[in-house]
Amino acid sequence: MAIYDKAARRGLLVVLSSPSGAGKSTLTRRLLAEDENMSMSVSATTRPPRPGEVDGEHYFFISKDKFASMIDQNEFLEHAKVFDNYYGTPSQPVEAALEAGRDVLFDIDWQGAQQLTQAAADDLVRVFILPPDMHELERRLRSRAQDSDDVIAKRMAKSEAEISHWAEYDYVIVNSDLEEAMAELRVIIKAERMARRRQHWLQPFVRALISGE
Ligand code: 5GP
């Protein structure tokens, strides 16, 4: 029988984007908890940590000077200014994960998704999460109770701009029901993992199959 190793596939870069409050963090947390082959890309940011955020886990919290020097050293896969702060994806851990055959999940905005499209289109799966309506979005933002009214108003204003980029994504999920959204996310990832161009084992397998080895 022809020998094959279905695990021998290329890793995926899965980008999840959404306006703040659309439920992206919950989906991300759930996906990482249930999927051993998926790891999170930890971004660097110049914004201060929110209560409960851990350096190196939620973000690498760094100074503007350090951020600028990382740009100079070409250490980012992509970076962008969001609100009044800078955010970027350090490339080294992403490359290490892909080499080890692991998928990497990105919680980045549309600017990051556009830059990743230029840098790594073949490996990319872009998913946009929409809230069921704008009132629900504001309610979710307020229930976090971590940001001031001023910041919430700013985020709401930005949401519309973020949403306007929905058509640049491969898949769109409307998150009105968490379980349903999770199920949709799972099938997207499952199908993308099975894409023929990512299945490196297929070519030797079919060759062996035909030659009767
Ligand atoms: P927050 O400050 O709420 O954690 O994130 C604000 C925005 O920055 C979110 O839309 C998030 O997706 C985006 N973001 C976080 N990390 C990165 C990154 O590394 N690159 C880019 N382009 N956006 C990011």
Side-chain angles (χ1 to χ4, degrees):
M1 196 177 118
I3 294 167
Y4 61 96
D5 175 10
K6 275 183 146 187
R9 64 171 175 86
R10 247 180 110 74
L12 298 174
L13 304 182
V14 181
V15 172
L16 285 188
S17 298
S18 75
S20 301
K24 181 177 55 179
S25 332
T26 311
L27 289 168
T28 302
R29 214 177 316 116
R30 292 267 305 262
L31 194 63
L32 290 170
E34 70 178 36
D35 194 328
E36 280 183 353
N37 202 50
M38 183 81 72
S39 62
M40 189 75 197
S41 166
V42 180
S43 298
T45 183
T46 59
R47 85 150 161 77
R50 296 196 187 113
E53 283 185 334
V54 178
D55 186 42
E57 190 182 317
H58 298 92
Y59 282 104
F60 295 107
F61 296 99
I62 63 174
S63 67
K64 284 195 171 151
D65 281 353
K66 170 76 177 161
F67 200 96
S69 96
M70 285 180 75
I71 293 176
D72 288 347
Q73 301 294 312
N74 217 8
E75 289 178 30
F76 287 121
L77 202 53
E78 62 77 37
H79 60 88
K81 191 177 182 194
V82 185
F83 305 114
D84 297 323
N85 288 296
Y86 294 89
Y87 294 81
T89 304
S91 27
Q92 195 276 330
V94 175
E95 272 151 29
L98 284 187
E99 261 171 46
R102 296 178 59 81
D103 301 323
V104 184
L105 191 61
F106 293 80
D107 172 357
I108 59 177
D109 73 340
W110 63 271
Q111 303 175 76
Q114 280 189 352
Q115 286 189 47
L116 281 187
T117 303
Q118 280 165 11
D122 284 353
D123 299 324
L124 210 56
V125 180
R126 296 163 300 186
V127 184
F128 199 88
I129 316 287
L130 285 173
D133 61 64
M134 295 308 268
H135 296 301
E136 176 65 8
L137 190 76
E138 185 165 358
R139 196 193 61 74
R140 287 181 191 167
L141 277 183
R142 289 195 180 280
S143 71
R144 285 184 191 170
Q146 286 182 354
D147 294 315
S148 65
D149 275 5
D150 186 42
V151 170
I152 287 174
K154 225 169 164 184
R155 283 174 189 274
M156 281 304 290
K158 283 263 179 182
S159 292
E160 234 170 273
E162 183 77 28
I163 288 172
S164 72
H165 291 275
W166 69 275
E168 293 160 25
Y169 288 71
D170 304 304
Y171 300 93
V172 178
I173 294 176
V174 178
N175 184 16
S176 50
D177 177 272
L178 183 65
E179 293 310 322
E180 206 177 307
M182 268 310 293
E184 288 168 353
L185 197 51
R186 280 187 205 109
V187 292
I188 290 166
I189 291 167
K190 176 85 179 162
E192 288 284 348
R193 281 175 175 165
M194 291 182 71
R196 179 178 47 75
R197 71 177 191 280
R198 299 202 171 97
Q199 305 291 331
H200 290 173
W201 58 273
L202 266 173
Q203 212 167 40
F205 171 73
V206 173
R207 208 179 300 127
L209 190 71
I210 288 172
S211 67
E213 276 169 25

